[in-house]
Amino acid sequence: MSQTMTAMPALTRLAEDEEIFRASVYEFADKEIRPLVRQMDDESKIPRRLIDRLFELNVMGIEVPEEHGGAGGTFFWSVLVVETVSRVDPSVGVLVDVQNTLVINAFLKWGSPAQKATYLPRLASTTVGAYALSEAGSGSDAFALTTRATERGDGFVLNGRKLWITNGNEADVFIVFANVKPDEGYRGITAFIVERNTPGFSVGKKEDKLGIRASSTCELIFEDCTVPRSQVLGDVGKGYKVAIETLNEGRIGIGAQMLGLAQGALDHTMKYTKERRQFGSAIAEFQGVQFQLARAATDIEAARLLVYNAARLRDRGQPFLREAAMCKLFASEVAERVASLAVNLFGGYGFVKDYPVEKLYRDAKIGQIYEGTSNLQLQTIAKQILT
């Protein structure tokens, strides 16, 4: 083989513009998000002024074309943002994630020209979006929806309730899945664009959660909520395709969130083990501690390879279903392990809120639950490798 052949770049090697972009996002997160992390966790709220700053930084509409006011970037750039922000606070990371990988992605793929012209500029500049699929009896069985959409005149009337909806408190635009033809099962599921001020729609209870507490998780209530036909996203009865295809990308986003969380936990731990002294030495000098840190760093690098690979495949238009499931599964497991190690190595300090790692430990648990549980990811992977 010719030695003059150009070698393929490493998966985790960033192009110059990607490196600069990531550095600018981390600088912002370190200076403007980090000082608020404890307050946001205690108050279970992301301040609106911080959300406005995220819009100003142009990270809430990464893939939105420049003509619609967005960054005109790639999906991989969205993944970089989620990872980098989550390294400081996974609650803010998931706000950015849902906005980019689910809501905007759905508009880009399924929106009509009029819908894109109406909503993409708003989503890129001022408006938070939410993605409303889950219900009380429709979690892992995502298409067992009881929310109904009845045709009436030139529109639909929605009735039902959604649960576990991320960004519920902050959002002004919601992508809502309801069944128009319940007798036809998933073939009746349709995606609707619902504005917050639509009569018959309200945001209900905000959940009091174990982790990612600053990220709002809310119930949505639809009581004779009238939505015009022009607010159908995609075709009537094609909502299941909207959901399946956007959730695949959403899983990469959660993989990035968990990757950033794990890196943040390791950052804190390495710093602490160099400062904490026992028996006359920094504990980072003990081989037992070194080996644990080395294994954590190796796990994180493996998770990063999986996440970046899935994101790059998506940008190249290549199949990524298996890779998305793998990166979400593995990164969520790594996040829990590394956050647990961080608590262990911080000792008693790791168990109190004055230090950051107990929060990351709480935040990590959700990674194995939302956007498809670990068992669902395993099922997806098994189907792909056995077919």
Side-chain angles (χ1 to χ4, degrees):
M1 183 177 294
S2 172
Q3 294 183 355
T4 61
M5 281 185 66
T6 302
M8 291 290 290
L11 272 176
T12 54
R13 180 67 57 86
L14 301 182
E16 183 179 4
D17 58 343
E18 294 169 339
E19 190 72 60
I20 293 170
F21 177 64
R22 183 176 67 175
S24 68
V25 173
Y26 186 72
E27 181 181 11
F28 165 82
D30 192 44
K31 290 183 177 179
E32 300 194 35
I33 298 177
R34 197 180 298 281
L36 300 174
V37 170
R38 173 69 185 272
Q39 173 192 335
M40 292 190 295
D41 188 61
D42 288 344
E43 297 178 358
S44 298
K45 184 178 181 180
I46 300 174
R48 181 65 213 194
R49 67 182 183 277
L50 179 56
I51 296 174
D52 291 340
R53 288 290 291 126
L54 291 167
F55 279 111
E56 290 170 12
L57 194 64
N58 216 7
V59 299
M60 296 292 276
I62 299 294
E63 287 191 270
V64 173
E66 292 181 0
E67 60 264 32
H68 289 310
T74 64
F75 180 77
F76 183 72
W77 281 42
S78 297
V79 165
L80 282 180
V81 171
V82 175
E83 177 196 0
T84 305
V85 171
S86 299
R87 187 174 166 186
V88 174
D89 190 353
S91 293
V92 182
V94 77
L95 170 85
V96 176
D97 172 47
V98 168
Q99 179 87 353
N100 282 285
T101 71
L102 291 180
V103 178
I104 287 174
N105 187 35
F107 274 103
L108 289 171
K109 279 192 172 182
W110 300 96
S112 67
Q115 289 169 344
K116 290 178 181 179
T118 298
Y119 288 104
L120 289 179
R122 290 175 55 189
L123 290 165
S125 60
T126 59
T127 301
V128 176
Y131 190 89
L133 178 62
S134 297
E135 298 179 3
S138 174
S140 293
D141 186 4
F143 296 135
L145 302 182
T146 60
T147 300
R148 298 292 181 249
T150 306
E151 289 195 63
R152 185 180 298 174
D154 191 32
F156 297 84
V157 178
L158 275 58
N159 281 282
R161 292 180 180 237
K162 297 289 181 180
L163 285 181
W164 323 116
I165 306 306
T166 301
N167 296 353
N169 262 3
E170 298 82 9
D172 286 315
V173 173
F174 299 77
I175 296 177
V176 179
F177 294 84
N179 205 321
V180 175
K181 301 175 182 177
D183 293 342
E184 297 186 19
Y186 73 89
R187 293 181 180 86
I189 295 172
T190 303
F192 297 90
I193 305 166
V194 180
E195 298 266 7
R196 190 182 191 91
N197 60 2
T198 304
F201 168 63
S202 60
V203 177
K205 176 187 175 184
K206 178 177 176 290
E207 301 295 342
D208 188 8
K209 307 191 300 291
L210 169 72
I212 57 167
R213 292 178 56 81
S215 167
S216 67
T217 303
C218 301
E219 174 188 37
L220 307 182
I221 303 167
F222 303 89
E223 298 175 320
D224 292 333
C225 174
T226 300
V227 180
R229 191 174 293 272
S230 61
Q231 296 296 89
V232 171
L233 184 64
D235 297 326
V236 173
K238 297 297 184 182
Y240 73 96
K241 284 185 66 65
V242 177
I244 287 173
E245 295 189 12
T246 49
L247 285 172
N248 288 334
E249 281 140 330
R251 288 167 181 168
I252 304 174
I254 298 304
Q257 181 203 23
M258 292 293 111
L259 168 61
L261 187 161
Q263 185 65 63
L266 184 61
D267 291 345
H268 288 300
T269 306
M270 290 191 296
K271 182 175 184 292
Y272 178 79
T273 58
K274 291 176 183 178
E275 297 171 351
R276 173 67 168 166
R277 299 183 69 82
Q278 291 284 278
F279 307 105
S281 300
I283 64 173
E285 297 177 18
F286 301 156
Q287 190 178 68
V289 172
Q290 293 175 354
F291 284 4
Q292 292 179 83
L293 294 174
R295 187 171 295 280
T298 301
D299 280 348
I300 290 170
E301 185 67 7
R304 183 171 287 111
L305 286 164
L306 285 168
V307 171
Y308 285 16
N309 182 54
R312 292 190 191 279
L313 286 173
R314 187 274 190 186
D315 275 337
R316 291 172 182 168
Q318 296 175 295
F320 62 91
L321 173 60
R322 180 185 67 177
E323 289 77 10
M326 285 179 170
C327 82
K328 197 268 187 185
L329 171 73
F330 187 71
S332 63
E333 292 175 346
V334 167
E336 186 177 58
R337 288 200 298 270
V338 175
S340 179
L341 173 65
V343 172
N344 288 348
L345 291 179
F346 267 74
Y349 293 120
F351 208 68
V352 296
K353 290 194 173 186
D354 291 337
Y355 288 78
V357 292
E358 69 84 30
K359 176 189 178 295
L360 293 176
Y361 183 58
R362 290 186 283 109
D363 289 348
K365 191 62 211 175
I366 191 60
Q368 297 180 48
I369 299 171
Y370 63 5
E371 296 275 353
T373 64
S374 290
N375 280 342
L376 279 179
Q377 307 312 317
L378 289 167
Q379 183 181 56
T380 298
I381 296 164
K383 286 181 179 178
Q384 292 292 304
I385 65 176
L386 293 172
T387 299

